[in-house]
Amino acid sequence: MSKTKILVTGCKGRMGQAVIRAVEATMDAEVGAAVDVGDSLADALAKCDVVIDFTSHHFSDELVAACVKAGKAFVMGTTGHTNEERARIHEAAHALPVVHAGNFSVGVNTLFWLTRKATEILGSDFDLEVVEMHHRMKVDAPSGTALLLGEAAAKGRDIDLATHSQRVRDGHTGARTPGDIGFATLRGGTVIGDHSVIFAGPGERLELAHKAEDRGLFARGAVRAALWGNGRKPGHYSMADVLGLND
Ligand code: NAD
């Protein structure tokens, strides 16, 4: 069987390099081409079956248009898109298989599913807190992944996260608001990303946790998504689709 040829965009970047290593470690895939700023996208696309993109959202429109023109599926790992850029990705998914995720970690996506299931099972007697820790350079809080964990819990409770979350606590806060999903943020050192979801009930506590050890985990998830998405019918797919976690 011939190997799936992958175009790695942003190949000089941290994630691009990790994707190249992950593809090289995958039996069914090979790097068909790799591009960074200034390289021809059309030439590279012609040599490949599917694209894995971890670059900048500024590049998104150009990449998406080129993939549609060439009829090549893509895996969108880049984050920070504007609403307009996001809309164009969704539009491309009418013509192509697109796998799009803010976090390609297989473990974290499993944690989203476990969080939703645990929330459904444990019910409203359990208070829910999401705790995350990242390296000292991270500029935003809570992390996007912590918010997605909150969304998974809100889905399990059938509530709107925006109106049922406590993002900051300081000073005389009063007692916990029943039903709120709380967030706590820790920052320090070189931590790539730790996330825990704590379910605190009457007389017992359940904790689900994930710890990222290197950025290769996102790259490995993206390669798995590329192999899954290539040749599939057009659609906007998530990592939950790739991993079969939609039940
Ligand atoms: P980085 O700055 O190390 O690398 C980005 C690379 O993209 C650079 O080499 C840059 O030259 C290249 N690039 C930018 N514009 C380009 C263009 N027009 N054409 C070709 N190449 C271009 O950044 P990084 O840490 O590798 O992260 C890249 C993106 O991936 C960010 O948006 C980050 O948030 C996202 N990310 C997503 C996940 C996930 O699981 N979805 C995980 C980690 C990082």
Side-chain angles (χ1 to χ4, degrees), residues 8-18 35-39 41 53-60 62-63 76-81 100-105 109 145 215 217-219 222 239:
V8 182
T9 52
C11 63
K12 292 181 181 161
R14 283 166 294 196
M15 279 306 301
Q17 291 285 307
V35 297
D36 209 286
V37 175
D39 298 326
L41 204 48
D53 179 72
F54 287 93
T55 54
S56 154
H57 72 98
H58 297 297
F59 177 47
S60 183
E62 181 187 342
L63 176 73
M76 179 53 75
T78 301
T79 59
H81 293 104
H100 188 184
N103 189 317
F104 274 97
S105 151
N109 280 277
T145 298
R215 56 183 75 243
L217 85 163
F218 305 118
M239 267 311 265

Side-chain angles (χ1 to χ4, degrees), residues 47-131:
K47 294 182 205 152
C48 297
D49 305 306
V50 53
V51 182
I52 298 181
D53 179 72
F54 287 93
T55 54
S56 154
H57 72 98
H58 297 297
F59 177 47
S60 183
D61 283 352
E62 181 187 342
L63 176 73
V64 169
C67 287
V68 170
K69 192 168 176 203
K72 299 291 164 86
F74 64 91
V75 170
M76 179 53 75
T78 301
T79 59
H81 293 104
T82 64
N83 289 339
E84 292 74 26
E85 289 162 350
R86 192 173 287 275
R88 279 188 274 277
I89 294 169
H90 279 265
E91 204 178 303
H94 292 296
L96 299 169
V98 173
V99 187
H100 188 184
N103 189 317
F104 274 97
S105 151
V106 169
V108 163
N109 280 277
T110 305
L111 181 62
F112 293 148
W113 183 85
L114 289 169
T115 298
R116 177 165 56 82
K117 286 288 164 193
T119 309
E120 284 168 7
I121 294 164
L122 297 172
S124 57
D125 254 7
F126 283 73
D127 297 323
L128 225 149
E129 295 283 312
V130 180
V131 183

